[in-house]
Amino acid sequence: MAAVSNLLSEDQFRCSICLDVFTDPVSTPCGHNFCKNCITRHWNTADRCQCPLCKETFTTRPDLRVNTLFSEMVAQFRQSVQQKSSSSSSKQQVSKPGKVPCDVCTGTKLKALKSCLVCLTSYCETHLEPHLTMPGLKRHQLIDPVENLEYRICTKHDKPLELFCKTDQTCVCTLCPVSDHKMHDVVPLREEYEGKKVKLEAEIQQMIQERRLKIQEIEQSVNLSVKDAKKEIAEGVQVFMALKESVERSLDEFIKTIEKKQKTTQKQAEVFIKELEQEISELKKRSSEVEQLSRSEDHLHLLQSVQSLKAAPPTKDWTQVRVRPSYKGTVVRAVSQLVDTLRKEMKKPLDTELKRVQQYAVDVTLDPDTAHPALILSDDGKQVEHGDGWKNLSDNPERFSVCAYVLGKQNFCSGRFYFEVQVKGKPTWSLGVVRESINRKREITLSPQNGGWTIFFHENEYVALDAPPVSLSLKSRPQKVGVFVDYEEGLVSFYDKDAAALIYSFTGCSFTEKLFPFFNPCRLNFGKNTAPLVILTFNKTDLEDHETQSSQSSTGAVVGKGGLSSEI
């Protein structure tokens, strides 16, 4: 039997359907052998009952019988294959977790070398051999081993997905363009793959380039940060050295003042002591005279002498004389002078900071197309106040219909900009910047989430409308408020212009839209809030200087003065 099996080729012991060694081989009436399950499954899914090899058609499904002799030969061949497989398994790599296993191996699963898109099976080195030697199997498409091969088959036509429909952006088989994808733009998978690969590689290279540019930008920011840090340290050292000198000077003046008062007190005490000693000497002299008189027996002479003693210069009344040096208020005055000095020194960096942001000043005017009907705008577009009634205005998409707000004509999509608003005489107001898409037709709560970065003043209370709102404590009531925005930095800051003091800063903002200056003069409040919000105008020189700086720092957006969009 072994000799006979050795005379037969290895291909003769493999089922032409599953391409594996026969399992329960049976014969058809035409004389061909198949695995019992393979031929049964084939006939169950086929339209006609015919032999898969010779195509002989049977009118009725024939009875399948086991070829006993051939079955024994297959069993012997299987045993020899298993022996070869066990001897070569040490040379082949056993499949590990995460690797694609061979679908044919029984027992220990070896690592698959290839997957067949026609057979939908993954093969190790041993079981792949028929696909490399048999002429019929050489035409099958082999790929690097992958899992879930069933997903590579068209569920409708049971054919490999070899085409790509550009119309529906999906993989299809060769029969799909005839049915569901008729008249669609269909190309081979390789062609679509090559196009997608080129596009993907270009996108990846672009992303790499963008990130390299971002690295350069961050490095430049770090360099600027180092310079700013050194500058800040230098200014801080200057301030604290001035403070130190002021403290030392105040301490020296304090000590000199105390010592001067002490010397004055000491001199005064010495004068008092000298006078007292002189009076004591005089009194001792009189005491001696009285003692001498007391020894005399001449009473008349005694009485006459007493009268002469009374006529002598009277002694000074010392009951109200005090030597109490007054140092009260000296320390308070010294500390007060020190505080004044400290305030002046601390105000210098704030003055510098305000001057820095004022370099980005822009000329802002009000946009009447955005103004709520209850607002009154000046002819030059620089003032806004709340009126008694509503004007009859067209309800265009840009206009605020519910909230009495108005925006500036100018919009900003990059760079830095600064503008100032006079709020003098107003007990209630709100201002800042908002994004272009802010809701203009409904009641809104101003916050960064809703597209607004603003501060609000009402009845001596200042609030930054952040999330959550932040109550602000200001030493003085601002008359002019400056608004500064750094688009790329995500910063919105408010300044008390006259005090050169920072009121509040929104930091870490993410701007993706155009920003507009925002103004809310608030209701009249029974005539108490009639003063307008006034946009201050900067002189031409300031704006020209800023235009030069802005053009030098432009990031590619269409900008005018100070990062100002030309769409006005």
Side-chain angles (χ1 to χ4, degrees):
M1 184 69 68
V4 175
S5 64
N6 290 334
L7 294 176
L8 298 175
S9 67
E10 183 176 326
D11 294 341
Q12 292 175 292
F13 290 99
R14 295 184 182 275
C15 172
S16 60
I17 297 177
C18 68
L19 305 179
D20 199 4
V21 179
F22 286 103
T23 302
D24 296 333
V26 293
S27 300
T28 59
C30 57
H32 293 109
N33 297 308
F34 304 94
C35 297
K36 183 177 181 180
N37 289 337
C38 291
I39 189 63
T40 301
R41 187 164 54 248
H42 176 73
W43 282 344
N44 288 341
T45 57
D47 297 333
R48 291 177 294 176
C49 186
Q50 63 177 192
C51 175
L53 290 178
C54 66
K55 306 301 181 182
E56 180 180 346
T57 303
F58 308 105
T59 56
T60 59
R61 181 179 294 192
D63 293 333
L64 299 173
R65 299 195 178 187
V66 177
N67 186 328
T68 305
L69 177 61
F70 186 71
S71 179
E72 292 178 355
M73 294 172 63
V74 169
Q76 186 175 9
F77 176 76
R78 181 184 294 277
Q79 183 178 4
S80 64
V81 168
Q82 289 178 348
Q83 289 176 352
K84 290 181 181 180
S85 176
S86 60
S87 62
S88 63
S89 61
S90 58
K91 300 179 182 180
Q92 298 188 51
Q93 187 175 0
V94 177
S95 178
K96 297 180 181 180
K99 302 295 183 180
V100 180
C102 175
D103 294 327
V104 183
C105 287
T106 58
T108 303
K109 294 283 187 180
L110 298 180
K111 177 183 177 181
L113 294 183
K114 294 290 181 179
S115 294
C116 178
L117 294 180
V118 179
C119 303
L120 296 181
T121 306
S122 297
Y123 300 102
C124 64
E125 181 180 355
T126 300
H127 295 114
L128 181 65
E129 186 176 353
H131 279 75
L132 304 177
T133 57
M134 294 179 65
L137 298 179
K138 284 183 177 181
R139 293 192 295 270
H140 289 192
Q141 184 177 356
L142 298 176
I143 61 172
D144 290 334
V146 294
E147 295 180 334
N148 303 322
L149 284 168
E150 62 272 14
Y151 294 134
R152 296 173 176 266
I153 297 297
C154 177
T155 57
K156 185 172 184 179
H157 302 107
D158 202 27
K159 293 283 186 180
L161 299 173
E162 299 176 352
L163 304 174
F164 184 82
C165 177
K166 289 189 173 183
T167 306
D168 295 335
Q169 291 293 302
T170 185
C171 297
V172 297
C173 71
T174 54
L175 296 181
C176 287
V178 182
S179 56
D180 298 341
H181 297 267
K182 187 180 294 184
M183 304 302 291
H184 287 189
D185 185 8
V186 178
V187 297
L189 281 180
R190 177 172 291 277
E191 179 180 334
E192 181 65 18
Y193 162 76
E194 293 295 337
K196 287 283 179 66
K197 183 177 71 171
V198 171
K199 183 180 179 182
L200 183 60
E201 288 177 349
E203 291 176 352
I204 292 175
Q205 291 301 319
Q206 182 179 356
M207 293 172 67
I208 292 174
Q209 183 64 21
E210 289 174 351
R211 279 149 182 78
R212 285 175 176 169
L213 292 175
K214 179 57 70 173
I215 290 174
Q216 293 179 2
E217 179 184 334
I218 293 173
E219 289 176 345
Q220 290 176 358
S221 298
V222 170
N223 293 334
L224 289 175
S225 176
V226 171
K227 292 181 180 178
D228 290 343
K230 290 181 179 179
K231 181 180 178 182
E232 192 71 18
I233 291 174
E235 291 178 352
V237 169
Q238 184 178 358
V239 170
F240 281 98
M241 288 301 295
L243 177 61
K244 179 182 176 182
E245 291 174 1
S246 177
V247 171
E248 292 175 348
R249 188 167 54 252
S250 297
L251 178 60
D252 186 57
E253 291 176 357
F254 171 73
I255 294 173
K256 287 180 179 179
T257 301
I258 298 299
E259 289 178 345
K260 183 178 180 181
K261 287 190 175 185
Q262 174 60 29
K263 289 180 180 179
T264 302
T265 302
Q266 187 171 352
K267 287 182 179 180
Q268 187 180 28
E270 290 175 353
V271 171
F272 289 158
I273 291 173
K274 187 174 181 180
E275 289 183 13
L276 287 169
E277 287 178 345
Q278 288 177 352
E279 290 190 3
I280 290 172
S281 177
E282 184 66 28
L283 289 173
K284 284 183 178 180
K285 183 178 178 181
R286 292 188 181 189
S287 175
S288 177
E289 292 177 355
V290 170
E291 184 179 356
Q292 290 179 2
L293 290 173
S294 64
R295 296 194 189 102
S296 175
E297 295 295 336
D298 188 351
H299 301 292
L300 177 61
H301 177 69
L302 176 62
L303 292 175
Q304 290 176 345
S305 297
V306 170
Q307 293 297 326
S308 63
L309 288 175
K310 288 183 179 182
T315 59
K316 186 176 180 179
D317 184 5
W318 293 92
T319 55
Q320 301 300 322
V321 176
R322 297 287 188 274
V323 181
R324 294 180 180 175
S326 176
Y327 304 122
K328 186 177 181 180
T330 307
V331 176
V332 174
R333 286 192 297 272
V335 173
S336 178
Q337 293 174 359
L338 184 60
V339 170
D340 290 340
T341 303
L342 178 60
R343 285 176 179 171
K344 291 178 182 178
E345 293 298 328
M346 292 300 292
K347 192 174 181 294
K348 288 180 181 179
L350 293 174
D351 289 335
T352 303
E353 171 67 13
L354 185 57
K355 289 179 181 178
R356 183 186 71 82
V357 300
Q358 284 178 333
Q359 296 176 4
Y360 302 95
V362 295
D363 188 15
V364 175
T365 54
L366 300 170
D367 185 0
D369 291 336
T370 66
H372 185 273
L375 298 181
I376 301 175
L377 277 59
S378 62
D379 294 337
D380 61 358
K382 290 292 186 178
Q383 300 185 27
V384 58
E385 58 185 284
H386 203 289
D388 291 328
W390 287 27
K391 297 187 292 292
N392 186 16
L393 301 174
S394 61
D395 188 18
N396 57 61
E398 293 80 17
R399 190 179 307 283
F400 287 95
S401 300
V402 178
C403 300
Y405 303 153
V406 62
L407 303 182
K409 282 185 179 181
Q410 295 74 15
N411 60 75
F412 307 87
C413 54
S414 67
R416 301 165 180 169
F417 62 93
Y418 173 86
F419 61 95
E420 289 180 353
V421 182
Q422 180 177 294
V423 296
K424 182 178 180 180
K426 293 190 66 60
T428 306
W429 51 265
S430 178
L431 57 90
V433 294
V434 297
R435 66 188 179 204
E436 184 178 26
S437 63
I438 191 169
N439 195 314
R440 310 188 189 195
K441 303 301 178 183
R442 288 167 42 186
E443 185 78 30
I444 57 174
T445 300
L446 289 171
S447 68
Q449 287 75 6
N450 293 332
W453 294 266
T454 61
I455 60 173
F456 175 68
F457 171 65
H458 177 64
E459 296 181 354
N460 297 321
E461 181 181 6
Y462 293 88
V463 179
L465 299 181
D466 209 331
V470 179
S471 181
L472 307 176
S473 177
L474 305 184
K475 293 182 178 180
S476 60
R477 182 170 175 174
Q479 304 297 308
K480 299 174 184 177
V481 176
V483 183
F484 172 70
V485 177
D486 188 328
Y487 196 98
E488 283 73 24
E489 187 71 18
L491 173 70
V492 181
S493 295
F494 297 84
Y495 294 88
D496 181 344
K497 194 259 184 183
D498 295 327
L502 177 66
I503 297 175
Y504 187 77
S505 288
F506 293 87
T507 58
C509 308
S510 179
F511 301 131
T512 57
E513 303 179 24
K514 296 175 182 178
L515 297 180
F516 289 80
F518 166 86
F519 308 91
N520 174 19
C522 295
R523 296 182 181 275
L524 296 176
N525 192 17
F526 303 104
K528 298 179 181 179
N529 193 29
T530 57
L533 287 176
V534 181
I535 304 174
L536 300 179
T537 302
F538 291 87
N539 60 57
K540 185 178 180 181
T541 304
D542 293 337
L543 295 179
E544 288 176 349
D545 291 342
H546 177 239
E547 182 179 3
T548 302
Q549 296 173 358
S550 177
S551 62
Q552 292 174 348
S553 61
S554 174
T555 58
V558 180
V559 295
K561 297 179 180 179
L564 174 63
S565 170
S566 60
E567 180 186 343
I568 298 177

